[in-house]
Amino acid sequence: MDSFIFQNPTKIIFGKNTVNKIGKEVSVYGKKVLFVYGMGSIKKNGVYDKVVESFKKFGISFIEHNGVKPNPVLSHVKEGIRKFREEKCDIIVACGGGSVIDEAKAIAAGINYNGDVWDFFINKSKIENAVPILCVLTLPASGSE
């Protein structure tokens, strides 16, 4: 058996109205967010407004990266990487279910990589580092947490 070290620095904040704490959690990492979400259900159900209100309360600015599709597409991931870099963001906040969180993870991995993010998926390269991601889960059945 190979020796290894596994560290999983996951923090889960669970409970009623915890979405209101996202701004405070983000402020630990910086002041500018790439805000990743799907096709707009978070606007219909009120989660978007709660997240934005919390960002504002803690002086967090954000760049929206919406339109994540079920089973995210590579071109949209690359667009997120471009936005993050150009806007000089500090952190990613993914708000949604599994597809949104999966796309956010791909963006986070690709930001500090000089090659094509697809290289990670075809085992051409390994992820050496990634920017921080915070998630506001809207679908607990996704298992992404």
Side-chain angles (χ1 to χ4, degrees), residues 7-59:
Q7 181 179 359
N8 187 0
T10 300
K11 178 179 181 180
I12 297 174
I13 301 171
F14 181 83
K16 189 174 184 178
N17 296 319
T18 55
V19 69
N20 301 328
K21 297 179 181 182
I22 190 69
K24 181 179 179 184
E25 295 297 321
V26 166
S27 69
V28 171
Y29 298 94
K31 290 290 186 185
K32 193 162 190 183
V33 166
L34 181 69
F35 185 22
V36 179
Y37 61 94
M39 305 303 280
S41 64
I42 66 167
K43 289 188 175 182
K44 294 175 191 160
N45 65 20
V47 172
Y48 176 91
D49 291 334
K50 289 178 182 179
V51 170
V52 169
E53 182 180 320
S54 186
F55 285 166
K56 288 179 181 177
K57 181 178 177 182
F58 288 90

Side-chain angles (χ1 to χ4, degrees), residues 104-142:
K105 291 186 286 188
I107 292 168
I111 288 165
N112 294 319
Y113 181 62
N114 291 326
D116 187 333
V117 69
W118 187 246
D119 291 349
F120 300 131
F121 295 94
I122 60 171
N123 294 320
K124 185 176 175 182
S125 187
K126 294 186 187 255
I127 299 168
E128 299 291 329
N129 60 49
V131 301
I133 304 170
L134 296 181
C135 299
V136 176
L137 258 156
T138 60
L139 182 64
S142 70

